[in-house]
Amino acid sequence: MIKNFSTLVFKVTLVVLTLILVVALFRLQVLKGEYYRHIAESNFVRIRRVTATRGEIYDCKYRPIVVNIPAHDLYLTTSRINNTERLSVFLKIHFGIEPEELKELIFAQRFKAYEEILLADNLSYDTVVALSERIADYPELNFRIGTSRNYLYPNHFTGYVGRINEDEYKLYRSEDYSLNAYIGKTGLERYYEVLLRGRDGKEIMQVDAQGKSLELFGENTSIAPQNGLSLILSIDNDLQEYANSIFPPGLKGCVIVSDAQTGGILAYLSKPDYDPNIFMQKISSDVWAGLNSPSKPLLDRIIHASYPPGSVYKPVTGSKGMELGVINRHTRLASCSGGLKIGNRFFRCWSSAGHGSLSIVDAHRVSCDVFFYDLISKIDLDAMALHAKACGVFDKTGIDLPNERGGFYPNTKYYREERGIKGSLAGYKANLAIGQGEVLTTPMQINAFFSAIARRGTLIQPHLLMHTMGSARITRDEIQPLEKRRLPWSSETMQVIRDGLWAVTNAPGGTARAVNVPGATSYGKTGSAENFMGRTTHAWFVGFIETDKPEIVVTVFIENAGGGGAVAAPVANKIFNYYIGNLEKIRQPATIPPQFADGAAGSEVLPHSSVEPKPEPSAHHEETESSHPEETP
Amino acid sequence: MLILFGCVAIFSASTTHIGEYVSTQNHWWKQLIFAAISLGMMFLLMRLPMPILDLVIIPAYIINILALIVVLFTPEVSGAHRWFNFFGLHYQPSESAKLFTILIVARIISRENMSEIRQIVYGLGLVILPVILILLEPDFGSTLVFMFSLIAMLVAAEVPLLYILLLISPVVSILSSLWWPAIIIWLVLLVGLLLWNRLSWITTAIAGILNGFLALIMPVFWNALKDYQQDRIVSFLNPMADPLGAGYQIIQAKIAIGSGSVAGKGWLQGTQKNMNFLPEHHTDFIFSVIGEEFGFIGALILLTLFGLFFWRLIRAVGEIRVGERRIASAGILAYLMFQTFINISMNIGLVPATGIPLPFISYGGSNLLFNALGVGVVLKYLNERGFMK
C-alpha cells in the first residue's frame, strides 16, 4: 500500500512536470511561434555596446589636462569572416597583427561572434584613407571613429590608460568591461577608474535584410551609456607650467606646490618626466629604451621614491625636545665648534667653522647639526620614532594616487634585531636627529608635514581631486573623507618651530635668505642630504608663505645637486614670487565652462544621435555600426 | 522490461542522432564512441555478479570524494575546477558522484531498525559532503540534483512526508524571504502543520525559529553575493534586464525554440544555431536546437519518450521489493528526471541557466556514461528480482 504511495508521488510529479513543459512549449512554439519565427528569420540581432565616454580631467580653473580626441579604430566582426587565411595575411601586412594573435582573438570571441573586437586603435588618418578601398573586400573589417586620450602636458599624476589586459579582464569582467575596454593603468586614471569610466550602454538591434531596425524588443531594451565623470583637480595649470619652466634643466627631482589651507596639490612636478601620450600608440623600441634609461623618467619621485630628508627633518627632532621639556625656547645646548664628540666618534656639523652655543630657533636658522646631536642624546630613540610617526613624516600620506610609498624611521628593535647592533645607539641616533642615516621619506610626506605647520598643527591628507563634474558633482570628501589630525605639538612648540622657520628665510645668517617674497611672510627649511648614491648632496627646500592667511607650501627636491639653500631654495623663491605676483588672478573664482553649465549636460547620449562628431573636446563618440560595411569610410 | 530496453535504445540512438547534426567539428563521432562505450559498460554491469556491485559501492563513494577534492586543484576551465583531463578526454567527477552517492545513501538508510529521523540525518550527512565539494568547483546545478535525489529516496524509504517537509522547509523559507507576506504565510502554515501533526513543542519551536531566522537573514546574504551572482538571479526574473550578459543565453534559446514553431525548421536548418547566436548549443542548450529544428511536434515526441521512460522507471521502483534497491532506483529516477526537467525548463526560460545537461542527449562523456550506468543499475535490480522469482 505504502509502496504504491511512493510511486504515486513520483507519478504525480512526472505528470505535473510534463504538463508544465508541454504547456510552456505550446505557448512558446505554437501561440508565439510566429512572433519568434519573425525575430529569428530577420535575425541579425546586433547587440551593440555603446561605449561610455571616459571622463576628462581639468585643473582648478576648468582648463583641460586630459581630454578625449577622435581617433580611428579598426574593428573585426568574427561572424562575418569568410576567409581567415586571406584576412590574416592582410592584417599582418597592414597592421602587424600576427596570425596567431588573430586566431586567439577569434577563439576568445567564439560565443560572441556578433560583437565587434577592437583590432587596432589610434590609426593615423593617412592609414585610414589609404586602406579604405582595400578594406571593402573584407566585410568583417570596419573602420570606426572612436576616442583616444590626449594628455596636454607631460606629468606623473594623470597616469595613462591602456587596453584591458587578460588579468584585468578576468578581474573586472563582472563589472561589465568589454574586451575592447580601456582601463586606467597608473596615476589618477587608475585611482579614479570607477568615476572616470561611467557605464557602457547597450543596444539590442533587430535589423532586417535591408538593415532597418525592427524594434522587436520594444523601446526599453537599449540602455543609454552613462558617461564617466570629469575630474576637477586642485592643480593649477599656470603654476604647473611655471614650475616646469624654472626647474633647473637636466636635473632630476621634484616640485610640489600645495594649498596651505586645503591640502590640495596645485603643482606636481617630477623630473625627468614622460609624455603619457606615448602609451596611446604602439611604443617603438627607442622610446621604450628612453623610458627605461638610468634617469628613470617613469619614476614618480614625489610618492614612489624615498630619500633621506636631511635638515628639513630637524623640526621633528626639535619639536620632540620641546614637547618633552628637555629644552625650551631659550635653552642653549652644546657649543658647536664644527662638530661634537659622541662616544669615541666625532660627528661633524656642516659648518666646520662652528656655530657656538645656540637656542632652538637659531639652530633652525643656521641649521646647526651639533644642537640636534646634543638634543637627541637626551631623548629615547623609541619615543622619537613614535613622535616622528605622529608628525606624519613616515606614514603614507593617503594622496589619491595608486601605490604610494611609505617612509622609514628606525627604532631600537630595528637596530637590535634586524641590524644586530649590540652596543650603544648614540651614534645612529645622532645621524637620525639631522635626517640622515636610515631615515627615509618621500617628498610628499615632507610637504604634508610642513603644510601642517603652515596650518598651525592640522595634518590634512594631500589630494589632487577637488570634485567631479558631469552627471554628478561629487566632492573629494564624499568619495573618501579627507583624513585630518593634529600634530602632537603644544602651541608653544608650534610657535618656536615657526619662529625657527621664519628665521631661516628672514633673519641674518638664515640658510635660505635667497627666499625673499615681498607682500608675504615666508617660512622655510633647507636641507642638504648626504646619500650613499651620489657624491653631491640632495638639495631640499620646504617652505610656505602667508599673507592674511597661509597661502602655499612649496617643496623642492633636487637629486645630487648640492646645497638646499643654494639650489633648491631659489626655485621655491621663484614660485612664491610668481604666486604672490599673480595673486589676484589665482584667487579669481573659476567660471564653469559651458559643457558643465547645467550639471548633467553632456552626460546623456541618445543611442542613435551622435554619429556626427561634435566640436568640443568632450564630444561623445559612439561605436556606430553599419549594416553595410562597404559604406564606411 | 522490453519497453525499458526500447526506451534506452531510443535514447541512446537519439544521442548519436542529435550529436551528429549539432556539431560542426568532431563532437558527433566522439559522442558516438561515448554512446557505444556507455552501452557496453551498461551491459557489462548487467553481467556483473550482484555481490561485486554491492562490494564496490562504499570504496567507489570514498574514491569519488577524493577525486572531488583533487579536482579542485586542477587548472581552471571556463572559470571552474570541474574536469580532469586525460589525453583530451574530460572526466567530471561530480557525474560519478551523483550515482555513487545515491547507491551509498540507499545502502545506509535501508538498514533495518533505522528511525526516520536517523534516515534523514544519515542521508543528509552522506549527501552534504559531495555537495559542499561540488559547490566549491563551483557547480550549483549539480548540487540541486543531489538534494532532489535524496528527497526522492526518502519518499521511497517511506519517511513520512512531514519530515521531508521539515527537511526542505529552509529552502522554502529562503525563497519566501523575497516577499515578506509570503514569509508570514509560510511560517504560520509550517508551524500549524507541525502542531496539527502533534509534533513535540520543541521540534515545532526549533523549526519555526530556524526558518524565521533564515527568512530574515536572506537579505543579508543577498547583499553579500557578488554582483554577477545577483545578476544571474535578476536576469532569470527578467532576462531583458541584461540582454548582453547573463540573460543572453536564455533569450537566444527562447528565440530558437519559439521560432521552431509547430513543425520546426527541419534537420540542420536551425538558423539561430548555425549562426552561432546560441552558445553551448551542443551541451546545455541542445534542447533549443531540437525545438528549433523539429518544432513543437519534435519537442513533444521527445517529451513523450522521456515520459514513457520515466513512467517505466517509476513502475520499476514499484516492482522492486528489496528496500535498498527500491530506494536506489528511486534516487536514480529522481536524478534523471530532475536533470531532464530542469534542463528543458532552462531552455524555455522557466528556470535560471544552471548548467545541467539533458540526460542521454547532451554532449559529454562522463555524463552519458553515468546516466547509462544508472539505468543499468535499475535494470540489474529488475533482473535480479526475475532470477529470484
Side-chain angles (χ1 to χ4, degrees):
Chain A
M1 209 281 282
I2 289 179
K3 279 164 198 113
N4 290 341
F5 173 71
S6 63
T7 51
L8 185 69
V9 171
F10 294 142
K11 282 178 181 168
V12 169
T13 315
L14 176 65
V15 169
V16 168
L17 288 178
T18 311
L19 275 179
I20 291 174
L21 290 188
V22 169
V23 168
L25 276 171
F26 184 77
R27 202 181 85 94
L28 199 61
Q29 297 194 295
V30 181
L31 297 185
K32 295 181 87 178
E34 270 313 298
Y35 169 75
Y36 282 109
R37 170 155 275 209
H38 187 44
I39 295 179
E41 271 169 9
S42 55
N43 196 337
F44 293 92
V45 187
R46 301 274 156 77
I47 301 177
R48 232 166 67 182
R49 180 182 286 271
V50 185
T51 311
T53 306
R54 196 173 173 86
E56 301 184 321
I57 302 178
Y58 296 88
D59 84 338
C60 60
K61 296 263 163 73
Y62 300 98
R63 290 169 299 201
I65 299 173
V66 182
V67 293
N68 298 315
I69 50 167
H72 293 278
D73 302 328
L74 180 71
Y75 283 87
L76 169 74
T77 311
T78 55
S79 62
R80 290 191 204 150
I81 299 175
N82 41 34
N83 189 337
T84 313
E85 292 293 305
R86 211 166 74 103
L87 177 68
S88 66
V89 171
F90 181 77
L91 291 177
K92 171 86 178 102
I93 294 172
H94 297 286
F95 300 98
I97 295 165
E98 297 296 331
E100 285 304 307
E101 211 179 317
L102 178 69
K103 250 171 105 178
E104 265 169 46
L105 271 175
I106 295 172
F107 180 75
Q109 196 74 358
R110 66 196 180 286
F111 293 137
K112 289 185 169 183
Y114 54 88
E115 218 183 318
E116 301 186 313
I117 336 172
L118 184 56
L119 274 184
D121 47 9
N122 288 311
L123 301 170
S124 71
Y125 184 70
D126 294 339
T127 313
V128 175
V129 171
L131 289 177
S132 55
E133 294 253 330
R134 300 280 316 274
I135 215 163
D137 297 338
Y138 299 89
E140 62 270 32
L141 294 179
N142 231 337
F143 283 125
R144 281 292 173 66
I145 294 178
T147 61
S148 170
R149 290 300 244 190
N150 186 19
Y151 299 89
L152 298 181
Y153 53 78
N155 71 79
H156 281 87
F157 59 90
T158 58
Y160 51 87
V161 296
R163 276 289 283 285
I164 194 164
N165 65 33
E166 218 161 288
D167 292 338
E168 288 162 339
Y169 182 66
K170 267 186 197 156
L171 210 60
Y172 294 111
R173 186 165 43 186
S174 58
E175 285 169 35
D176 194 34
Y177 277 79
S178 87
L179 274 168
N180 299 336
Y182 284 89
I183 189 166
K185 300 283 185 181
T186 59
L188 291 168
E189 293 272 27
R190 166 141 165 228
Y191 195 91
Y192 289 117
E193 169 69 18
V194 177
L195 299 178
L196 286 165
R197 180 179 169 242
R199 213 179 162 82
D200 286 353
K202 277 168 201 166
E203 224 179 296
I204 284 200
M205 282 213 323
Q206 293 282 338
V207 212
D208 65 12
Q210 278 78 46
K212 278 196 310 202
S213 171
L214 294 173
E215 306 262 337
L216 285 170
F217 285 106
E219 281 168 23
N220 296 328
T221 51
S222 32
I223 304 160
Q226 178 102 50
N227 289 331
L229 299 174
S230 289
L231 307 184
I232 310 301
L233 306 183
S234 49
I235 292 282
D236 184 310
N237 275 357
D238 292 338
L239 207 58
Q240 174 85 14
E241 193 190 333
Y242 181 74
N244 190 37
S245 69
I246 59 157
F247 192 86
L251 291 178
K252 293 177 281 182
C254 62
V255 175
I256 309 164
V257 182
S258 64
D259 185 316
Q261 287 183 305
T262 64
I265 307 293
L266 301 177
Y268 189 104
L269 190 77
S270 172
K271 286 283 186 177
D273 50 19
Y274 69 98
D275 180 1
N277 291 311
I278 56 179
F279 290 99
M280 298 292 99
Q281 264 95 36
K282 275 205 169 146
I283 296 178
S284 66
S285 55
D286 45 320
V287 170
W288 186 243
L291 289 177
N292 288 296
S293 70
S295 63
K296 295 187 189 164
L298 286 177
L299 177 68
D300 179 348
R301 288 170 162 79
I302 294 175
I303 59 165
H304 292 158
S306 51
Y307 304 92
S311 300
V312 295
Y313 173 80
K314 282 173 180 166
V316 179
T317 310
S319 61
K320 184 62 186 172
M322 290 288 294
E323 286 302 308
L324 284 175
V326 173
I327 50 167
N328 62 33
R329 175 186 281 272
H330 308 291
T331 312
R332 285 168 185 270
L333 292 183
S335 176
C336 170
S337 55
L340 185 69
K341 194 161 191 246
I342 299 165
N344 46 16
R345 246 183 89 192
F346 187 71
F347 282 79
R348 284 186 299 149
C349 181
W350 69 270
S351 161
S352 52
H355 295 105
S357 186
L358 296 173
S359 72
I360 180 168
V361 172
D362 287 327
H364 276 90
R365 177 175 57 90
V366 296
S367 201
C368 174
D369 294 338
V370 167
F371 178 90
F372 294 96
Y373 294 150
D374 193 26
L375 177 57
I376 205 167
S377 67
K378 300 166 172 46
I379 301 172
D380 174 57
L381 172 62
D382 293 330
M384 195 63 233
L386 286 176
H387 182 73
K389 192 173 165 60
C391 291
V393 200
F394 306 105
D395 285 338
K396 294 177 183 178
T397 61
I399 189 170
D400 41 0
L401 288 172
N403 303 326
E404 186 190 3
R405 185 168 174 169
F408 181 72
Y409 192 92
N411 56 16
T412 315
K413 196 176 157 216
Y414 166 82
Y415 284 117
R416 299 291 183 229
E417 290 178 10
E418 308 214 357
R419 294 279 301 273
I421 292 158
K422 304 236 159 39
S424 161
L425 295 176
Y428 294 98
K429 272 168 63 178
N431 261 330
L432 296 176
I434 58 163
Q436 297 284 166
E438 289 82 0
V439 191
L440 290 174
T441 68
T442 66
M444 184 51 80
Q445 288 163 337
I446 289 294
N447 190 77
F449 170 61
F450 274 77
S451 300
I453 299 175
R455 280 185 291 268
R456 293 181 185 271
T458 315
L459 198 57
I460 300 182
Q461 196 178 346
H463 54 279
L464 287 155
L465 180 71
M466 291 204 302
H467 58 84
T468 64
M469 283 299 228
S471 56
R473 189 182 191 279
I474 311 172
T475 62
R476 161 75 213 206
D477 260 326
E478 289 170 271
I479 294 160
Q480 178 197 5
L482 284 174
E483 213 175 275
K484 293 178 188 174
R485 59 190 168 91
R486 297 285 304 175
L487 292 180
W489 295 10
S490 67
S491 57
E492 168 66 6
T493 303
M494 180 57 72
Q495 196 52 51
V496 168
I497 298 292
R498 286 174 66 99
D499 288 349
L501 299 181
W502 179 86
V504 170
T505 59
N506 295 285
T511 53
R513 285 300 299 283
V515 173
N516 176 15
V517 192
T521 318
S522 59
Y523 300 78
K525 186 74 198 77
T526 55
S528 309
E530 287 168 22
N531 61 93
F532 58 92
M533 295 282 286
R535 309 130 302 274
T536 332
T537 56
H538 293 326
W540 284 93
F541 177 83
V542 197
F544 53 92
I545 50 169
E546 282 181 351
T547 54
D548 47 338
K549 57 177 180 135
E551 291 286 350
I552 53 170
V553 184
V554 174
T555 300
V556 177
F557 167 77
I558 306 177
E559 272 180 46
N560 307 120
V567 181
V571 175
N573 185 46
K574 284 181 190 158
I575 294 172
F576 286 142
N577 280 294
Y578 173 87
Y579 183 87
I580 292 299
N582 294 285
L583 201 54
E584 239 168 74
K585 196 176 131 198
I586 287 168
R587 283 185 177 174
Q588 202 172 30
T591 45
I592 298 174
Q595 74 261 37
F596 296 133
D598 53 343
S603 63
E604 294 291 323
V605 169
L606 294 172
H608 297 282
S609 68
S610 56
V611 182
E612 72 283 350
K614 289 181 181 170
E616 76 269 16
S618 66
H620 307 287
H621 300 284
E622 184 196 347
E623 288 180 10
T624 54
E625 157 114 1
S626 163
S627 313
H628 302 281
E630 351 21 289
E631 285 175 13
T632 50
Chain B
M1 279 285 288
L2 277 174
I3 298 170
L4 192 58
F5 267 119
C7 284
V8 171
I10 289 167
F11 280 122
S12 302
S14 51
T15 304
T16 56
H17 190 187
I18 285 158
E20 192 174 3
Y21 69 74
V22 152
S23 334
T24 46
Q25 296 118 26
N26 51 11
H27 292 317
W28 65 273
W29 61 262
K30 266 198 191 172
Q31 186 72 351
L32 214 95
I33 293 170
F34 286 141
I37 293 173
S38 301
L39 282 178
M41 292 290 275
M42 196 174 108
F43 285 110
L44 212 67
L45 182 77
M46 306 278 295
R47 293 279 168 127
L48 209 65
M50 203 62 190
I52 294 187
L53 180 67
D54 286 345
L55 270 177
V56 106
I57 293 174
I58 292 173
Y61 175 78
I62 294 168
I63 292 170
N64 211 165
I65 293 291
L66 293 177
L68 283 175
I69 295 171
V70 174
V71 82
L72 292 177
F73 298 98
T74 58
E76 205 175 65
V77 180
S78 10
H81 309 272
R82 277 180 213 166
W83 294 273
F84 284 120
N85 195 341
F86 300 116
F87 313 109
L89 291 176
H90 300 285
Y91 162 62
Q92 200 177 345
S94 57
E95 288 298 333
S96 49
K98 290 171 193 164
L99 185 59
F100 293 136
T101 307
I102 288 168
L103 291 178
I104 199 167
V105 169
R107 164 74 53 84
I108 303 284
I109 70 172
S110 64
R111 283 187 188 153
E112 277 173 44
N113 308 324
M114 266 250 176
S115 73
E116 284 139 354
I117 296 293
R118 279 191 155 196
Q119 285 181 319
I120 293 185
V121 171
Y122 280 42
L124 203 60
L126 287 166
V127 166
I128 215 84
L129 198 56
V131 160
I132 289 172
L133 290 171
I134 292 170
L135 273 181
L136 289 175
E137 285 183 3
D139 182 359
F140 180 65
S142 290
T143 59
L144 286 178
V145 178
F146 282 91
M147 298 318 289
F148 274 85
S149 297
L150 178 64
I151 290 166
M153 284 192 281
L154 292 173
V155 171
E158 295 150 38
V159 171
L161 285 179
L162 188 67
Y163 288 111
I164 295 169
L165 182 72
L166 267 183
L167 184 65
I168 60 170
S169 63
V171 181
V172 183
S173 300
I174 287 167
L175 287 179
S176 65
S177 70
L178 291 173
W179 191 48
W180 67 267
I183 310 172
I184 293 171
I185 295 169
W186 157 245
L187 286 181
V188 168
L189 210 69
L190 179 72
V191 173
L193 210 62
L194 294 179
L195 287 179
W196 187 60
N197 278 279
R198 310 227 180 111
L199 239 72
S200 74
W201 272 103
I202 297 171
T203 318
T204 312
I206 290 175
I209 291 168
L210 193 73
N211 280 293
F213 176 73
L214 266 175
L216 289 177
I217 201 109
M218 265 323 280
V220 181
F221 265 116
W222 170 256
N223 289 325
L225 284 178
K226 299 233 171 68
D227 279 352
Y228 71 91
Q229 292 167 321
Q230 291 188 0
D231 281 352
R232 271 223 155 173
I233 298 166
V234 169
S235 82
F236 155 59
L237 298 171
N238 178 19
M240 297 310 293
D242 183 13
L244 236 193
Y248 175 76
Q249 293 180 336
I250 290 176
I251 292 174
Q252 291 301 336
K254 272 179 98 165
I255 293 177
I257 296 174
S259 66
S261 281
V262 179
K265 296 176 187 167
W267 191 47
L268 293 176
Q269 302 304 309
T271 53
Q272 302 306 100
K273 175 210 75 185
N274 286 338
M275 298 193 68
N276 256 323
F277 284 124
L278 189 57
E280 315 212 3
H281 50 64
H282 61 291
T283 56
D284 292 354
F285 284 91
I286 195 165
F287 184 81
S288 37
V289 178
I290 299 169
E292 184 181 10
E293 304 198 343
F294 298 118
F296 183 59
I297 296 170
L300 219 52
I301 292 173
L302 188 69
L303 274 181
T304 315
L305 283 177
F306 269 120
L308 287 173
F309 171 65
F310 290 129
W311 193 262
R312 183 64 192 89
L313 274 184
I314 293 171
R315 273 184 53 205
V317 171
E319 284 166 23
I320 295 169
R321 296 287 157 211
V322 182
E324 177 190 341
R325 298 178 186 170
R326 192 183 62 251
I327 295 169
S329 304
I332 291 165
L333 163 74
Y335 147 68
L336 294 172
M337 201 158 105
F338 177 74
Q339 298 207 44
T340 305
F341 284 101
I342 289 297
N343 178 278
I344 297 178
S345 307
M346 157 180 119
N347 271 276
I348 54 186
L350 293 178
V351 302
T354 47
I356 288 178
L358 187 56
F360 305 112
I361 311 276
S362 285
Y363 173 77
S366 35
N367 178 45
L368 179 61
L369 175 65
F370 285 98
N371 288 337
L373 287 182
V375 178
V377 169
V378 179
L379 283 177
K380 187 161 184 63
Y381 288 157
L382 279 174
N383 252 345
E384 290 292 316
R385 177 195 57 113
F387 287 131
M388 284 198 303
K389 247 184 190 174

